[in-house]
Amino acid sequence: MAAVMAVESGQSRLRPFSCELGLLSRPDGRATFLQGVTPSVLAGLYGPVEAKISKELPDRAALEVLLRPKVGLPGVLERSREQLLRQTCEAVVLGALHPRTAITLVLQVLSDASLLSCCLNAACMALLDAGLPLAALFCGVTCALQPDGSVLLDPTARQEQEARAILTFAIGSSERKVLMATTKGSCSVEEMQQCLAAAQGAADTIFQFYRDSVRRRYCKS
Amino acid sequence: MKATPLSNCERRFLLRAIQEKKRLDGRQCYDYRNIRVSFGAERGCCIVELGRTRVLAQVSCELVSPKPNRPTEGVLFFNLELSPMAAPGLEPGRQSELLVSLNRLLERCLRDSKCIDTESLCVVAGEKVWQIRLDVHLLNHDGNITDAASIAGIVALCHFRRPDVSVQGEEVTVYTPEERDPVPLSIHHMPICVSFAFFHQGTYLLVDPTEREERVMDGFLVIAMNKHHEICTIQSSGVVMLVPDQILRCSKIAAVKVTEITEQIQKALENDQKARKEGGKFGFAESIPFQRITAFKMESAAVDTNDVEEQAKEIIAKADPPAEVFSKPVLLAAGTAQIGEGVENSWGDLEESEKEEAAEEEGESEAAAFECQKVETEDTMRETKNGKYCFSWYHILLYPFL
């Protein structure tokens, strides 16, 4: 599957994304997001509900993100990703509308944990499914900088290993602003700007995907 | 998050319905909910849906040294997790009573029934054996976790392939899947749990209780059995005294259910095996019901990255030049440093304001306090910008956060 994705010059392909909303009965918002075959994440969201007194915030909803790996207990990697995801979600959730409540977002990795962007997309779809008031949508895009300096969008696990640097951006739907950026490996400022420009291009495709999936669900015909 | 309590009228309603031999989902007393098994792209990964209860299982393996008293036997490790996603009220990482009892039941069902041949997991006696680890995650809790977990566990174990190894003298070689085909675990039989719920002191009996029914039940009986009708585990709990006849009746029902479930599991495993062999499509992406309106799929999309270089150059050209580079820090005395000319010290101001802040907002959360501090430092920075540039170490330390 990975080898099929031949990179044409000046073009990068996103793998076929698929999603399913509303597949669990208990959570308020639930979504599964798959990028191609391997990275797939299931997200379940509860909230806004009554918060524990220790976690309650007087002016806004307390957002908690939990990332569960498939094997073993959550470690340092999961903790750091939880932080990134929480900060990204906090930037878009209008928490001030639900003060003193708690929102819990649980992400379960179904296969191949390596892609943070898949977690971001699943998180946003869960927020969308829960019907929480949001300031904007966001999507996650991963770019790989190949050794020859070219930018590759949505890399597979193998491409990620071969890459010189991996850059993950969370891009908001309003004005394509950057909500979160994280990198692994080294790159120059110019290369980072290139990746960002490519990611912003890819974001449009992903937002169109969100829109189409929601339209399919809520439109008659 | 708190679990929602069950109201008295709801409880009465449920019990009354059970008395009238009616169930909320329209099933008969001895009916099982639909079982759906889907496999992941990797080996040893499956999702089992029992009605709306959903469980994910993943098997992994590792070479470890064996237990000293069992030098020729592999190690089996089972771990059931009640993810907070499954239901409100389940907390991550807490060993609740429910979790411990479920874990123990799964262990008894899969390990103590000796369904997996542990001796075949031995590589070098007394030195290297395979450890097989089974992780089961509850994703959605709609009752009868036991049965769903036991089905998911045994399916994942049957689906799993461990890497092939060879021993030459002292040397142990582990082959990658490309070099040699991975080998399946040797599984003697497939024990499957069947749960029964008792109501009104054992007068009424239901198979495969849902979450609501579990909440109003008096007693609970689990029978683990394989298709040869051998009982692997029996566990009874709750405040109900069962007569021997009841247990016998339950084991007869369990025998029928286990035969049906085993057949279904084997069919699912065969189908997946066929798909893999023929090079067809497999994995979770294939198990999504795309005919439903809640599911959506996008074709692989091309993103034009031709003009990213120009865009990047444009942005860099437009961007402000990097801030003025200060001369080297000057060391006035040991332990101090100064950048630029320097004006008056701003340490005092900050402390005062901090005192006020502290008095005002005691008890507020850390995050909020940090934000206030941030605003505070920004103010002082602006002040100093009017004069000459002056940064104390305090500012420099805070700078990365701003």
Side-chain angles (χ1 to χ4, degrees):
Chain A
M1 188 71 196
V4 184
M5 241 73 73
V7 186
E8 298 152 46
S9 62
Q11 252 197 359
S12 195
R13 291 196 81 84
L14 297 176
R15 280 173 285 180
F17 291 173
S18 43
C19 73
E20 191 182 356
L21 300 169
L23 70 169
L24 305 175
S25 67
R26 299 299 294 273
D28 302 315
R30 53 274 182 205
T32 176
F33 195 89
L34 289 98
Q35 289 182 327
V37 179
T38 44
S40 66
V41 175
L42 176 69
L45 182 138
Y46 287 96
V49 291
E50 185 189 342
K52 274 188 190 162
I53 297 173
S54 59
K55 285 180 183 169
E56 188 180 290
L57 298 175
D59 57 338
R60 62 201 150 100
L63 187 70
E64 187 185 17
V65 177
L66 298 164
L67 181 60
R68 317 284 300 176
K70 204 157 64 152
V71 175
L73 296 168
V76 176
L77 180 76
E78 278 78 23
R79 289 264 177 281
S80 72
R81 286 195 174 167
E82 278 170 12
Q83 284 279 338
L84 293 171
L85 285 160
R86 187 174 57 84
Q87 283 160 0
T88 314
C89 292
E90 268 175 357
V92 296
V93 173
L94 297 171
L97 295 177
H98 305 281
R100 301 181 55 210
T101 59
I103 299 170
T104 313
L105 175 63
V106 190
L107 297 157
Q108 172 71 52
V109 175
L110 296 183
S111 55
D112 189 17
S114 64
L115 272 181
L116 179 61
S117 59
C118 193
C119 296
L120 284 162
N121 291 329
C124 184
M125 294 221 91
L127 288 168
L128 207 62
D129 187 53
L132 281 177
L134 303 176
L137 294 177
F138 63 88
C139 70
V141 187
T142 303
C143 304
L145 262 179
Q146 288 176 310
D148 62 350
S150 60
V151 177
L152 184 70
L153 284 165
D154 191 19
T156 60
R158 184 176 295 172
Q159 286 166 336
E160 227 177 289
Q161 272 175 2
E162 288 164 3
R164 180 156 55 92
I166 305 285
L167 297 96
T168 305
F169 301 100
I171 293 166
S173 60
S174 61
E175 297 168 49
R176 303 203 294 189
K177 276 180 185 162
V178 183
L179 297 176
M180 190 272 297
T182 173
T183 64
K184 200 174 85 180
S186 63
C187 63
S188 67
V189 175
E190 197 169 326
E191 281 166 337
M192 199 204 78
Q193 289 292 353
Q194 280 176 18
C195 286
L196 184 55
Q200 282 174 329
D204 291 344
T205 316
I206 299 172
F207 289 133
Q208 191 57 45
F209 172 78
Y210 286 173
R211 191 162 292 129
D212 289 346
S213 67
V214 172
R215 184 178 292 147
R216 180 178 156 85
R217 192 172 173 198
Y218 292 108
C219 281
K220 288 183 183 177
S221 81
Chain B
M1 200 188 320
K2 281 177 197 160
T4 358
L6 194 70
S7 64
N8 282 340
C9 53
E10 205 171 350
R11 178 184 298 271
R12 276 200 297 274
F13 171 75
L14 281 163
L15 287 171
R16 185 70 184 278
I18 290 161
Q19 269 180 341
E20 292 173 13
K21 305 255 178 201
K22 279 175 189 155
R23 293 177 85 167
L24 282 186
D25 43 10
R27 280 186 288 159
Q28 297 295 313
C29 298
Y30 301 154
D31 282 359
Y32 233 76
R33 283 174 287 180
N34 281 339
I35 300 172
R36 186 164 159 249
V37 181
S38 43
F39 296 98
E42 305 120 88
R43 277 286 180 184
C45 175
C46 72
I47 288 183
V48 169
E49 286 163 60
L50 179 62
R52 283 187 306 200
T53 298
R54 198 182 277 241
V55 164
L56 166 77
Q58 170 72 58
V59 179
S60 49
C61 68
E62 197 185 351
L63 275 175
V64 293
S65 50
K67 286 176 186 162
N69 54 349
R70 300 230 186 270
T72 61
E73 286 184 17
V75 187
L76 300 174
F77 183 77
F78 300 100
N79 180 37
L80 175 67
E81 295 265 345
L82 300 180
S83 163
M85 187 197 286
L90 295 175
E91 277 178 39
R94 212 184 60 175
Q95 288 279 327
S96 64
E97 210 173 302
L98 174 73
L99 178 61
V100 173
S101 68
L102 284 171
N103 244 323
R104 183 69 196 122
L105 198 58
L106 190 68
E107 234 170 52
R108 271 166 48 185
C109 173
L110 294 175
R111 181 199 283 151
D112 300 354
S113 67
K114 303 237 186 295
C115 65
I116 302 160
D117 182 15
T118 45
E119 291 204 349
S120 70
L121 297 173
C122 177
V123 181
V124 181
E127 279 178 32
K128 281 266 177 297
V129 293
W130 284 109
Q131 186 195 51
I132 304 295
R133 184 194 168 106
L134 171 68
D135 284 272
V136 182
H137 299 268
L138 181 66
L139 303 177
N140 197 48
H141 178 20
D142 192 33
N144 207 357
I145 309 168
T146 329
D147 295 12
S150 85
I151 296 171
I154 196 73
V155 171
L157 286 166
C158 289
H159 191 247
F160 182 66
R161 301 285 184 273
R162 67 170 170 82
D164 201 4
V165 285
S166 74
V167 186
Q168 282 184 322
E170 292 281 285
E171 209 170 303
V172 179
T173 328
V174 181
Y175 295 98
T176 58
E178 286 81 32
E179 288 170 335
R180 270 195 202 181
D181 280 341
V183 282
L185 305 174
S186 69
I187 289 167
H188 298 310
H189 58 92
M190 289 159 81
I192 285 160
C193 291
V194 179
S195 309
F196 302 88
F198 296 97
F199 305 86
H200 291 282
Q201 300 310 309
T203 337
Y204 300 99
L205 168 97
L206 292 184
V207 176
D208 183 22
T210 61
E211 194 254 351
R212 283 291 139 95
E213 286 161 351
E214 275 182 2
R215 279 181 160 202
V216 296
M217 71 186 174
D218 291 333
F220 189 59
L221 177 73
V222 183
I223 300 182
M225 206 187 252
N226 60 23
K227 69 171 178 185
H228 312 300
H229 298 184
E230 294 163 327
I231 292 176
C232 302
T233 303
I234 276 198
Q235 180 174 297
S236 160
S237 52
V239 286
V240 66
M241 278 179 241
L242 294 173
V243 283
D245 279 6
Q246 274 281 39
I247 297 179
L248 214 61
R249 194 151 67 103
C250 288
S251 67
K252 275 182 189 152
I253 299 168
V256 178
K257 296 295 169 205
V258 165
T259 318
E260 284 172 19
I261 296 168
T262 315
E263 258 174 43
Q264 204 188 339
I265 289 175
Q266 267 162 350
K267 209 174 276 172
L269 280 165
E270 273 166 29
N271 283 346
D272 181 73
Q273 186 64 21
K274 212 192 273 172
R276 278 168 201 266
K277 212 177 222 173
E278 288 168 2
K281 286 178 177 174
F282 52 89
F284 289 133
E286 291 311 304
S287 63
I288 294 181
F290 284 111
Q291 70 279 9
R292 286 196 199 154
I293 53 163
T294 50
F296 185 70
K297 188 174 184 171
M298 177 189 83
E299 289 307 311
S300 175
V303 175
D304 195 17
T305 51
N306 261 326
D307 54 344
V308 288
E309 281 182 36
E310 286 92 72
Q311 277 184 34
K313 270 180 198 153
E314 205 177 307
I315 290 166
I316 291 166
K318 271 188 197 166
D320 296 330
E324 201 182 319
V325 180
F326 298 110
S327 55
K328 279 183 188 172
V330 189
L331 286 169
L332 294 174
T336 63
Q338 189 180 319
I339 302 171
E341 298 286 304
V343 281
E344 60 184 293
N345 193 348
S346 64
W347 275 82
D349 308 345
L350 209 72
E351 265 172 19
E352 250 173 54
S353 59
E354 263 179 347
K355 261 181 215 161
E356 276 173 26
E357 289 293 327
E360 244 177 50
E361 286 168 15
E362 212 176 58
E364 215 185 78
S365 73
E366 257 183 49
F370 180 72
E371 275 202 5
C372 292
Q373 208 178 51
K374 199 165 97 175
V375 176
E376 214 41 63
T377 36
E378 267 171 3
D379 286 344
T380 44
M381 295 245 313
R382 235 172 274 136
E383 275 168 31
T384 47
K385 265 181 195 167
N386 294 339
K388 286 174 187 172
Y389 286 103
C390 166
F391 290 92
S392 63
W393 267 121
Y394 190 66
H395 284 130
I396 293 166
L397 287 171
L398 267 178
Y399 204 61
F401 298 109
L402 295 180

